[in-house]
Amino acid sequence: MSTKEIKILAVDDSRTIRDMVTFTLKQAGFDTTTACDGVEALDIFAHQTFDLIITDLNMPNMDGFGLIENVRKGEKNPFIPILMLTTEADPEKKERGRSVGATGWIVKPFNPEKLVQVVKKVCTA
Amino acid sequence: MEEFKKIFFAECAELLSDMEARLMQLQEGSQDKEQLNAIFRCAHSIKGGAGAFGLNGIMEFTHVTEALLDAFREGRLTPDRKSIDTLLSAADIITRMLAEAESGGNPDIDMGIDVMKTMKSIIDGKSGVNHTAAAQAPAEKKEDNKKYKTVFEILFTPNHDYFHSGNEPSLIFRQLQKLGTVETFVDCAQIPSLGEYESQSCYLKWSLYLTTTAREEDVRELFEFSELYASIGIGVLSREEIAEESVQQSPISAEIIPMPETAPATEALKQADHKQPLSTNAVSSQNSTIRVDLDKVDRLVNMIGELVITEAMLRAQTRDLPIERFTDLLRGIDDLSHHTRELQEAVMAVRMQPVKSVFSRMPRIVRDTSAQLSKNIQLIMSGENTEVDKTVIEQLGDPLTHMIRNSVDHGIETPEKRRELGKPEIGSIYLSAYHQSGKIIIEVSDDGSGINRSRVLEKARQKGLVAMNATLTDEEIDNLIFMPGFSTAEQVTNVSGRGVGMDVVRRNIAALGGTVKITNTPGKGTLFTVSLPLTLAILDGMIVRVGDENYIIPITSIIETVRPQQKDLHHVQGRGDVQNIRGEFVPLVYLHEIFSIRGAVQKAAEGLVILVESGANKIGLVVDELVGQQQVVIKSLEENADHIEGISGATILGDGKVSLILEINELKSHLNRKNYSIAV
């Protein structure tokens, strides 16, 4: 599986995390686009084609759960894998993620290998 | 990684100032979800970043901060005065911790242990919800180092909506194959007839047999995400220790670990009704921006400065060319000037920033100092988005802080006093900024007592700042507060009596090429008007000639230019020459004397007097003539030469000549010194 063709949309309101995710993913050869909240992400999602969305949960305007919900009930590519970035993978968060249809989660802080590993776990090129 | 750290610290600074501003706005008992959420997110983002960089002390501390904020936004607790204050202290501690981290340390949680305890007690005291201090990793199980070869039986039954979650079984199977050898059996019994078949639903279930040396956790991890959307049973069919060499075929044991039951997903889906309404309160700062090193911008500004000089030179050189012969050249130079000017403006605009970054620190100062003095004060700000050069902003903080403190301390009366006077109990301090004719004007005013002139005069006399028998105008008395060594506070208070007086405010502002004026209405309040240039890199200058030399006087300090009549000029013993300008006696400074220039006009009556503002006073500069007005690019001399009194910098004029820019405030000290020596 070539990683070159995989397009990822990374959504986080923290510039630090956004930059780190982008850097890590680009290093691993993924094509990465960023958005800083759910609203922006949906807008970008509507205009481009992605293979994966990685989203933070806590964000202004529209949070991660809202984003997942909107993608899942949308017209375009509704069953795209979506990973949520979360500080604690507590059952409550997972349950909420489940209820909106998240594919999986990544626990912050993540190390680069782990991030790439999780991406490869859910992504089809 | 260092690169990200830089971004992280910059972002944290923004988050903290946002957090602080929002906390300041937070009312006791507030249920404002939007606001609480925003504050929560600040703490949350800092925590996330701190974790990423291994700053555990900060992470632990922000975790507790976040927990408290979480309790507020979930409505489990209601913010009261104490908890808002605690959160503000928490923000301070985070700031300090980050400062330590930024200078290379890894701050310990001890730095904020007291505040953390207070926050925990607030959380535990009322919420009853048990928050643990930090996400403690469960103690690692002691692993024995023996290797086993295990046959796992994996029963994988996805829910019908499995594919809706974006998960993909084939990917998991592929990963499984990396762990060992896999035998896969598919159960197709659930596939309905074509009429009922939905292409997006999952009707299959799998049984997989994996022979591997991996541990059960490794296998389970592959199904980690699927656990939410499928029932997964992983059992050990057989396990045997791997002997040195032999890898035997293991007999299949009958022992099967019971499958864990997972609730059907559909039910959970039904009860889940987390609607996320689109927030109407869109955050205003959604402009796309880039971060640029200030050095790069400065280099750009510098180059533009050079370009402006070159352009001016070209213009001067070609001015006398006959237009009919050099039409194209002259038109080109016209265009060049035009574009240079626009380029210059555009680059200066890059350096411009809203004064918000300084203003936003003031509410906290008012809050803290008024609390110390038991006064009730509101700060009303306007024009926070007025832009001014970054260097001006950086140096505006101290004088502004001092003026605000001064208003809180000396301006606004105590609530009791205000009630007596029939004023509203809550005192008001107004802080506003606006642009006016190429300057930024910042006003600090209050509705307090104003300056008590008789007391000020008395104090000034006591301190020997004013002669006992001198009569002063109201304006002169008001301006006494800017004198060095003046302080009217009966006792040195903790708030504004820090040995720093209004004289320092005036000096700081003068150093920025600005002025500060006071308008005093006793009993009603005081207004300080600070006027500053928009930028420090370029100034509008008046070129004056003294002998063969050209000097530049900043236009901002010029009041007027007069050709003196002999009858208005007087010599006053001990004060040097003065000129009577409409009844006001203004001391004269002969530039040719200060800079030892020969061949210049000696008598004021034969030259010109330029009336300039120097601090609170006016002085008249005697020059030969005015040459013209020009925007000049300031070049610092101090990189190459020591500081020269009376000179703030230099510039290159259109004819290629270097010309010195006068520092008016220092000329005044020349005047004082000279007079002093005469007096002695």
Side-chain angles (χ1 to χ4, degrees), chain B residues 397-677:
Chain B
D398 285 351
L400 212 52
T401 305
H402 195 82
M403 281 191 287
I404 296 271
R405 280 215 179 103
N406 205 66
S407 286
V408 174
D409 196 3
H410 304 305
I412 307 282
E413 311 91 335
T414 56
E416 301 81 54
K417 185 93 183 285
R418 290 182 69 90
R419 214 176 310 136
E420 269 171 41
L421 293 166
K423 287 183 178 181
E425 232 169 87
I426 299 175
S428 299
I429 293 176
Y430 302 88
L431 177 60
S432 66
Y434 55 90
H435 282 161
Q436 190 181 64
S437 53
K439 288 188 218 173
I440 180 172
I441 311 289
I442 294 170
E443 290 180 348
V444 181
S445 61
D446 61 64
D447 65 350
S449 58
I451 292 169
N452 184 337
R453 289 191 179 119
S454 57
R455 213 172 91 210
V456 165
L457 189 59
E458 191 191 329
K459 265 265 145 53
R461 282 185 172 141
Q462 271 175 27
K463 302 206 168 190
L465 298 169
V466 175
M468 277 303 180
N469 53 0
T471 46
L472 279 80
T473 61
D474 282 353
E475 201 188 329
E476 281 171 320
I477 295 171
D478 293 343
N479 275 300
L480 284 174
I481 65 160
F482 291 114
M483 296 275 282
F486 182 89
S487 170
T488 53
E490 305 286 306
Q491 69 237 52
V492 173
T493 60
N494 202 7
V495 175
S496 55
R498 290 167 196 240
V500 183
M502 290 301 285
D503 61 314
V504 176
V505 170
R506 170 158 280 180
R507 211 183 313 139
N508 286 352
I509 288 169
L512 289 169
T515 56
V516 51
K517 281 205 193 79
I518 180 169
T519 314
N520 174 28
T521 320
K524 293 259 176 70
T526 324
L527 161 69
F528 289 102
T529 310
V530 177
S531 155
L532 287 165
L534 289 178
T535 169
L536 299 182
I538 286 177
L539 67 80
D540 272 314
M542 179 66 80
I543 307 171
V544 298
R545 189 175 62 78
V546 183
D548 288 334
E549 299 291 329
N550 283 332
Y551 289 92
I552 289 159
I553 300 171
I555 293 242
T556 46
S557 42
I558 296 180
I559 303 165
E560 62 178 322
T561 304
V562 288
R563 189 174 288 283
Q565 310 260 303
Q566 190 59 53
K567 66 173 168 57
D568 293 332
L569 297 169
H570 306 278
H571 185 79
V572 178
Q573 198 62 43
R575 279 190 76 177
D577 285 353
V578 295
Q579 185 187 352
N580 178 355
I581 297 176
R582 291 182 290 275
E584 192 178 353
F585 286 88
V586 178
L588 296 183
V589 173
Y590 293 89
L591 287 183
H592 73 88
E593 270 180 29
I594 291 175
F595 299 117
S596 314
I597 298 162
R598 289 195 194 138
V601 170
Q602 299 290 315
K603 289 179 183 158
E606 292 164 18
L608 281 175
V609 168
I610 299 177
L611 199 60
V612 293
E613 243 174 334
S614 170
N617 305 310
K618 292 171 186 170
I619 56 174
L621 302 179
V622 181
V623 303
D624 292 11
E625 63 167 353
L626 298 182
V627 178
Q629 185 186 333
Q630 193 184 321
Q631 256 201 349
V632 299
V633 180
I634 303 169
K635 297 267 159 196
S636 169
L637 284 176
E638 281 167 46
E639 278 175 27
N640 304 310
D642 281 343
H643 178 72
I644 303 163
E645 203 162 319
I647 301 293
S648 65
T651 193
I652 303 170
L653 295 178
D655 57 7
K657 267 198 191 161
V658 174
S659 178
L660 298 174
I661 302 166
L662 299 184
E663 174 63 80
I664 303 298
N665 290 298
E666 289 180 358
L667 288 178
K668 189 183 69 175
S669 67
H670 258 278
L671 180 83
N672 292 343
R673 197 168 49 218
K674 188 180 136 212
N675 294 338
Y676 190 66
S677 63

Side-chain angles (χ1 to χ4, degrees), chain A residues 3 8 13 24 39 44 74 86 91 105 108 117:
Chain A
T3 52
I8 300 175
D13 60 331
T24 311
V39 174
I44 296 174
T86 165
W105 58 88
K108 285 193 281 193
Q117 193 192 327

Side-chain angles (χ1 to χ4, degrees), chain A residues 14-16 19 23 58 60-61 63 69 72 79 87-88 96 98-99 101-105 109 114 121-122, chain B residues 4 7-8 11 40-41 47 51 164-167 171 200 221 225 228-229 265 268-269 272 274 276 279 291:
Chain A
S14 157
R15 190 163 55 237
T16 313
D19 286 0
F23 178 77
N58 232 299
N61 299 330
D63 67 7
E69 214 168 27
R72 290 282 182 250
F79 306 128
T87 37
E88 303 96 20
R96 235 191 119 185
R98 208 199 71 79
S99 71
T103 308
W105 58 88
K114 176 77 186 160
K121 202 156 140 183
V122 296
Chain B
F4 294 126
I7 300 170
F8 169 64
E11 185 181 11
F40 174 86
R41 272 196 304 273
K47 183 179 91 170
H164 294 224
S165 72
N167 278 296
L171 279 171
Q200 295 293 349
E221 203 197 318
F225 298 157
L228 300 177
Y229 305 97
L269 258 179
H274 298 285
Q276 291 291 316
S279 167
R291 273 174 182 274

